[in-house]
Amino acid sequence: MKTFAVVIVSLIAFSGIGHAADITAPVREIMEATKSNWADNNSDWTDIFDASRLDHLYSRDFVARYQAAAQFPAVDDDGISPFDYDVIVNGQDACPLEDLTMAAAPVVDGVAEVTVRFRKSACSDAPDAKDYTTVHFLVVEEGDKPVIDDIVTENIETQARDSLKATMALIAKGQ
């Protein structure tokens, strides 16, 4: 029933600009991959920034920033990613994701915000194990389809919202 409600909200949200596209579709694909990556099923790691996903899930501006940042790979096994952490869980460690919810807000100035919440540390004994992680996906329309234009995480310590596009710009400058 939740999925049905999200689809209805999505259809209403994009109807404001004349389309009945499911604005949550690219976000769902990323979250399914992320959920699988952290599941206890020993599956292969899914790169949410592989070429095929960059081609159809992200905006042109996001892809350009990613490609510029990728010129400065983080220290990791593949030597390709500009990140040394999972940008969705906002860390290097997580448990299987629990209590995942997704809600799409109406389009404002051509951007729809899809908010995803989940618990990433539920299997831990840490004091913050039951805390929720919140990620905001900013979705725009390009080529008559919804694409992710930015991924914004909430920094619990500073109460700030951290833009992945801003982070990629800093990485591309060697910072």
PDB file of all heavy atoms in Angstrom, residues 52 63 84:
ATOM      1  N   SER A  52      26.138   2.604 -16.946  1.00  0.00           N
ATOM      2  CA  SER A  52      24.738   2.457 -17.352  1.00  0.00           C
ATOM      3  C   SER A  52      23.809   3.272 -16.457  1.00  0.00           C
ATOM      4  O   SER A  52      22.833   3.844 -16.932  1.00  0.00           O
ATOM      5  CB  SER A  52      24.319   0.987 -17.344  1.00  0.00           C
ATOM      6  OG  SER A  52      24.288   0.484 -16.020  1.00  0.00           O
ATOM      7  N   VAL A  63      26.180  14.162 -13.871  1.00  0.00           N
ATOM      8  CA  VAL A  63      27.145  13.282 -14.538  1.00  0.00           C
ATOM      9  C   VAL A  63      28.447  14.035 -14.825  1.00  0.00           C
ATOM     10  O   VAL A  63      29.544  13.508 -14.600  1.00  0.00           O
ATOM     11  CB  VAL A  63      26.555  12.680 -15.832  1.00  0.00           C
ATOM     12  CG1 VAL A  63      27.614  11.956 -16.641  1.00  0.00           C
ATOM     13  CG2 VAL A  63      25.386  11.747 -15.504  1.00  0.00           C
ATOM     14  N   ASP A  84      35.281   7.466  -0.885  1.00  0.00           N
ATOM     15  CA  ASP A  84      35.769   6.343  -0.096  1.00  0.00           C
ATOM     16  C   ASP A  84      34.725   5.925   0.942  1.00  0.00           C
ATOM     17  O   ASP A  84      35.050   5.373   1.974  1.00  0.00           O
ATOM     18  CB  ASP A  84      37.111   6.676   0.564  1.00  0.00           C
ATOM     19  CG  ASP A  84      37.016   7.820   1.560  1.00  0.00           C
ATOM     20  OD1 ASP A  84      35.948   8.478   1.626  1.00  0.00           O
ATOM     21  OD2 ASP A  84      38.008   8.068   2.262  1.00  0.00           O
TER      22      ASP A  84
END
